[in-house]
Amino acid sequence: MESQSAKPIIAALLQPLPELTRARNDLSDEGVVRLLVRGFIDQALAAFTEVLHGRLDQDEAVDGINRQATALNAVFLGTSGFDTVIAHPWNAPDQLGAFLKDVVALDYPEDDCVRAMLIHLATQVMHALRLPDEDRNEEVEALTLDAADLLLGRAPEDDGEIDIDIGV
């Protein structure tokens, strides 16, 4: 991962979406949210794979993942400044941030909860690399769906447990 500012990284994640969304990325659209989460996960997987193969320093990988999470924090909290992103009242620290803080039991300020949840998600992705390919793919898909549901304001319905284990 090169030392890049967050805007170009997230702009790249938003790039393939306008075709599907008529040049607007609506944060209430489940498909858009899943694509953003999956793009983040794919970049985290790529960074961790590079670390495992010795082609990238672990600190550089973590810094890059944190920059992406910070940029997505701004996107999902409606402060990114991207004119292709449609944010809603839900996309605010006192709404989405408070929801994540409560449901996922994050000990972070509400305006940093999306970033914190994504960093914990990246940690779970890193652990998924230890699984056999088929299990890894299934785990990554489950993590993607869980994270997208949280970002859309949907708490888990099954047993009340959040599959994104944040280790708190």
Side-chain angles (χ1 to χ4, degrees):
M1 259 183 216
E2 302 169 24
S3 176
Q4 298 178 6
S5 74
K7 274 217 179 241
I9 293 169
I10 300 307
L13 285 176
L14 292 168
Q15 193 64 22
L17 301 182
E19 218 172 88
L20 302 174
T21 59
R22 293 180 179 77
R24 304 294 284 181
N25 298 297
D26 191 328
L27 296 179
S28 69
D29 183 322
E30 187 170 347
V32 169
V33 173
R34 281 187 183 173
L35 283 170
L36 287 169
V37 170
R38 187 55 198 235
F40 173 79
I41 287 175
D42 288 346
Q43 290 187 6
L45 279 170
F48 292 137
T49 301
E50 291 296 300
V51 170
L52 287 174
H53 289 99
R55 295 185 291 253
L56 183 64
D57 178 69
Q58 183 174 348
D59 289 339
E60 290 178 60
V62 169
D63 288 346
I65 290 167
N66 189 54
R67 280 192 304 274
Q68 293 169 17
T70 299
L72 281 171
N73 189 73
V75 168
F76 280 103
L77 294 180
T79 62
S80 69
F82 288 115
D83 59 359
T84 60
V85 175
I86 300 171
H88 300 275
W90 167 253
N91 300 108
D94 65 336
Q95 294 292 313
L96 176 55
F99 171 79
L100 291 173
K101 186 172 185 152
D102 181 49
V103 173
V104 190
L106 295 170
D107 191 22
Y108 292 86
E110 292 173 351
D111 64 352
D112 196 33
C113 281
V114 173
R115 185 199 65 81
M117 187 269 299
L118 289 171
I119 293 298
H120 292 301
L121 173 62
T123 302
Q124 294 302 305
V125 167
M126 180 179 67
H127 293 300
L129 284 173
R130 298 179 184 150
L131 299 171
D133 286 349
E134 185 175 311
D135 293 338
R136 178 184 325 129
N137 293 339
E138 188 176 307
E139 178 70 9
V140 167
E141 183 61 23
L143 289 168
T144 301
L145 296 175
D146 288 346
D149 281 347
L150 288 168
L151 291 167
L152 289 163
R154 295 191 296 239
E157 295 175 12
D158 51 1
D159 56 6
E161 294 289 320
I162 305 286
D163 287 341
I164 299 173
D165 177 16
I166 61 167
V168 292

